[in-house]
Amino acid sequence: VAVAALLTGTGLTVAPGAAPAVPHDHGSPAARITDEPTRRFTLTAATATVDAGGRNVAAWAFNGQVPGPELTATVGDVLEVTLRNRDIGRGVTLHWHGYDVPNDQDGVPGVTQAAVRPGQEFVYRFRADQAGTYWYHTHSASDVGVRMGLYGVLVVRPGPVTGLDVTVPVHTLAGRPLPAPKVEEVEAGLPVRLRLINTDSTTHRYALAGTAFRVAAIDGVDLRGPTPLVDTAVLIPAGGRYDLVFDAPATPVALFVDGRAVYSTGPVSTATGAWRVLDPLRYGATAAVPWSRFDKTFTLVLDRGLDLRRLLPRYGHTVNGAADPDIPPQVVRLGDVVRFTIVNRSQVVHPWHLHGHHVLVLARDGEPATGSPLWLDSFDVRPGEVWEVAFRADNPGMWANHCHNLAHADAGMTLHLMYS
Ligand code: C2O
Ligand code: CU
């Protein structure tokens, strides 16, 4: 694919003045929060034995459970989360996946803090100023740490709930899918919000049968003008979240993940495997791109190859021909409007994840996005694809920017966005 041609030939519609609000505009550099916390939690990481679908398996757990406790807050709360590490030798941190916290709360060992060693603790504090579905996970030896169970749900609600509002994080522990939480029955006609989180390193396919539904939000950001869908599956990338909303029907509803019913209120006979798959770039009501120029443009070519910057060249996942820690950082200035072009030249999917910022999807394979503005923090760049995304550099610090197939990330597919 000719990257240079795509950079100049996207045909983006730009209409400054008619710009939609940037949902996660931090306004000014975030300061350390000094307000009294209104929601306090303690998460203790320790080795544990947990029940994975009827079999006891060794895990690393927060407060003895996988997933860890569900952290909930309402917009306006100040969260304080004390992380303790009892006996995880690889160290533990808390990263608030998709939550654009101040840099020193981001939980990346060696970048924003030191890993919390056994017997140590670290106190996180941040303001719940973005409603939506998020999750937290360790970022220390993140591949093994998350796989073993050091993760949980973070939900920030705009206000009191009417109807049913439930979160289903899909996770594979010791090769087995963890059971979905029990969902209470809900009276027909009441609104249901199903928050789906993929905490695995590979894409999952979700199909909701027995009802029409809308995708209300992706990666914690509400979509504009989502229309009802039927017989449609969604693909959620590693780390990604989709909020599905519908009114509870009087007849049974079932949620299938990769063809397996993880939750149902009764028998639903539907061959969901044949359903069409939603393309989020073509869903909802379009709006103009809020920026007419880009101060910085970067291209990331994802591939597999020899990292030639090493003294002893190593074969593995590479970005622009290099692997972490040899990939130069992308340097931006506060206020810059930044465009990233991400090209996958490899044979495998790379679910891309930028910390500290949501990015607006501009185009995929040279075709401008025509649906609702998509502000993502996790998106699958499939083999051969080219994604163009942009964001305003409004959250100073040093941020990880990596593949969320965490084995890839730990094997070198990690780089950093840096503010000069
Ligand atoms: Cu969900 Cu850097 O991670
Ligand atoms: Cu990858």
Side-chain angles (χ1 to χ4, degrees):
V1 184
V3 175
L6 287 168
L7 284 175
T8 51
T10 55
L12 299 172
T13 47
V14 173
V22 176
H24 294 167
D25 201 332
H26 305 277
S28 55
R32 175 88 190 165
I33 309 262
T34 50
D35 310 36
E36 260 311 290
T38 54
R39 299 282 285 161
R40 281 195 168 88
F41 302 94
T42 299
L43 297 177
T44 302
T47 53
T49 302
V50 305
D51 176 0
R55 190 164 55 111
N56 282 340
V57 299
W60 297 352
F62 285 121
N63 299 5
Q65 60 182 87
V66 179
E70 184 166 320
L71 310 187
T72 59
T74 306
V75 169
D77 274 336
V78 173
L79 277 94
E80 185 183 272
V81 184
T82 301
L83 167 67
R84 300 208 168 102
N85 179 0
R86 187 172 300 150
D87 63 353
I88 305 296
R90 303 291 299 268
V92 180
T93 63
L94 291 176
H95 169 58
W96 312 98
H97 184 115
Y99 218 84
D100 301 334
V101 295
N103 191 244
D104 61 357
Q105 304 300 299
D106 198 45
V108 179
V111 177
T112 68
Q113 67 169 98
V116 176
R117 297 287 157 202
Q120 295 182 339
E121 70 170 44
F122 188 95
V123 179
Y124 297 87
R125 198 183 276 198
F126 57 94
R127 199 182 300 281
D129 50 7
Q130 324 168 183
T133 308
Y134 305 92
W135 59 299
Y136 62 85
H137 62 79
T138 185
H139 221 286
S140 186
S142 63
D143 178 32
V144 58
V146 175
R147 206 161 9 90
M148 290 296 281
L150 291 176
Y151 74 94
V153 171
L154 169 66
V155 169
V156 178
R157 297 192 168 90
V161 174
T162 44
L164 182 67
D165 181 336
V166 69
T167 308
V168 180
V170 165
H171 191 77
T172 307
L173 189 62
R176 315 191 139 208
L178 281 179
K182 286 253 178 302
V183 177
E184 332 129 40
E185 290 293 322
V186 59
E187 221 178 288
L190 284 180
V192 178
R193 189 176 194 101
L194 209 49
R195 301 171 184 268
L196 307 177
I197 309 181
N198 180 0
T199 68
D200 277 335
S201 271
T202 54
T203 316
H204 288 306
R205 181 183 190 278
Y206 298 70
L208 182 62
T211 180
F213 65 95
R214 288 175 294 127
V215 179
I218 301 180
D219 287 359
V221 182
D222 287 350
L223 298 190
R224 190 170 183 260
T227 48
L229 299 166
V230 283
D231 295 358
T232 305
V234 298
L235 295 178
I236 307 188
R241 289 89 59 213
Y242 274 55
D243 291 13
L244 311 187
V245 299
F246 56 95
D247 291 332
T251 47
V253 171
L255 175 69
F256 294 85
V257 178
D258 302 330
R260 179 179 60 91
V262 298
Y263 159 68
S264 82
T265 59
V268 173
S269 57
T270 319
T272 61
W275 288 4
R276 75 180 186 103
V277 169
L278 179 73
D279 181 356
L281 274 68
R282 308 271 173 268
Y283 180 63
T286 192
V289 173
W291 307 297
S292 53
R293 57 177 192 94
F294 301 94
D295 302 296
K296 300 267 162 53
T297 298
F298 302 105
T299 299
L300 306 180
V301 177
L302 315 181
D303 209 343
R304 201 165 163 77
L306 275 180
D307 176 5
L308 294 170
R309 290 176 193 248
R310 300 203 154 234
L311 207 51
L312 291 171
R314 184 177 73 167
Y315 193 80
H317 298 287
T318 56
V319 180
N320 298 343
D324 185 43
D326 303 320
I327 311 169
Q330 278 70 51
V331 182
V332 299
R333 275 188 326 208
L334 185 64
D336 278 353
V337 178
V338 182
R339 181 162 72 172
F340 267 93
T341 300
I342 306 172
V343 183
N344 186 349
R345 290 220 180 109
S346 77
Q347 305 294 314
V348 294
V349 177
H350 295 296
W352 207 255
H353 175 56
L354 173 62
H355 285 213
H357 311 73
H358 275 68
V359 299
L360 176 66
V361 179
L362 304 177
R364 183 187 53 211
D365 295 339
E367 295 284 333
T370 55
S372 161
L374 267 188
W375 293 92
L376 305 181
D377 56 64
S378 308
F379 50 97
D380 273 346
V381 185
R382 297 184 189 86
E385 281 185 350
V386 178
W387 284 63
E388 288 196 55
V389 301
F391 62 94
R392 195 166 80 83
D394 61 1
N395 199 5
M398 169 90 130
W399 300 98
N401 185 10
H402 63 90
C403 180
H404 217 281
N405 182 322
L406 296 174
H408 298 180
D410 284 5
M413 213 168 230
T414 297
L415 60 157
H416 298 92
L417 175 78
M418 214 177 95
Y419 283 64
S420 62

